Amino acid sequence: MSVADEPFDHLQADPWALWLGGRTRIPLDLPHYRRAAVLVALTRESDPRVLLTIRSAELPTHKGQIAFPGGGLELSETPVDAAVREAEEEVGLGREAVTVLGELDDVFTPIGFHVTPVLARIAPDALAGLTLSPEVVQIITPTLAELRALTVQEEWRTLPGGQEVPLYRYPWRGHDIWGMTARVLYDLLGEGP
């Protein structure tokens, strides 16, 4: 059984599951972009922490950036399966520790990735057993309240082709959370419970 096939009955009381079920997901149609998925893992706490990684400076893309665990979809893989697999590969978050709630709005990166963020819940103690792959140099886990208390910085960028898009930044404890990660967080923090 894939992660996407897990029963959802036990999630009815979860405020994030209720929020996700009450909104319409916005997909993108970007056939020339490479498909990818990230896991947006929130701890099951009154003030959830979000699992973020700091990527190695040795990687070919997004060097040293703060990111959700994730990566490209393999052949015949769903975004949910890819996000869970990538989290296990990058930080050792076992599949059994992840309760998938569903998919958030698709996002894209200017370098050609079409990304589906997958919202999930994890037990707080799941963070204690994480191990870093060579792709990751550090794990950070800001609480949603900490991120909501920040003054988000917004600037506009013009993409090739002339489309203007907002770029968000969250300056958190000496870290600069920006780009696609900040875009997903912006939607989550602004709309979520």
Side-chain angles (χ1 to χ4, degrees), residues 2 15 17 26 47 52 61 63 93 96 100 105 110 112-113 120 124 155 160 162-163 171:
S2 81
I26 301 172
D47 183 13
L52 296 171
T61 62
K63 299 175 184 198
L93 182 63
E96 70 284 350
V100 172
D105 296 347
F113 285 94
E155 59 187 79
Q163 180 185 7

Side-chain angles (χ1 to χ4, degrees), residues 49-180:
R49 291 177 280 161
V50 60
L51 174 62
L52 296 171
T53 66
I54 300 178
R55 293 172 51 87
S56 168
E58 306 301 315
L59 295 173
T61 62
H62 310 340
K63 299 175 184 198
Q65 290 184 12
I66 295 174
F68 298 105
L73 271 64
E74 294 180 353
L75 191 62
S76 302
E77 192 174 41
T78 69
V80 170
D81 290 333
V84 173
R85 175 187 52 77
E86 286 282 347
E88 189 167 33
E89 291 174 3
E90 289 182 14
V91 298
L93 182 63
R95 294 171 184 267
E96 70 284 350
V98 178
T99 302
V100 172
L101 303 182
E103 297 176 359
L104 297 168
D105 296 347
D106 286 348
V107 291
F108 66 93
T109 68
I111 63 168
F113 285 94
H114 170 182
V115 183
T116 300
V118 175
L119 185 61
R121 296 303 294 266
I122 60 173
D125 61 0
L127 297 175
L130 298 180
T131 56
L132 305 182
S133 74
E135 294 180 30
V136 176
V137 295
Q138 185 180 349
I139 293 170
I140 60 173
T141 56
T143 68
L144 295 187
E146 286 177 301
L147 294 173
R148 281 185 173 127
L150 297 173
T151 301
V152 64
Q153 300 168 3
E154 180 180 334
E155 59 187 79
W156 288 85
R157 292 278 173 94
T158 304
L159 298 176
Q163 180 185 7
E164 289 201 15
V165 295
L167 176 69
Y168 301 103
R169 291 181 181 274
Y170 290 90
W172 180 77
R173 296 188 186 182
H175 297 287
D176 184 18
I177 304 169
W178 67 283
M180 188 217 65

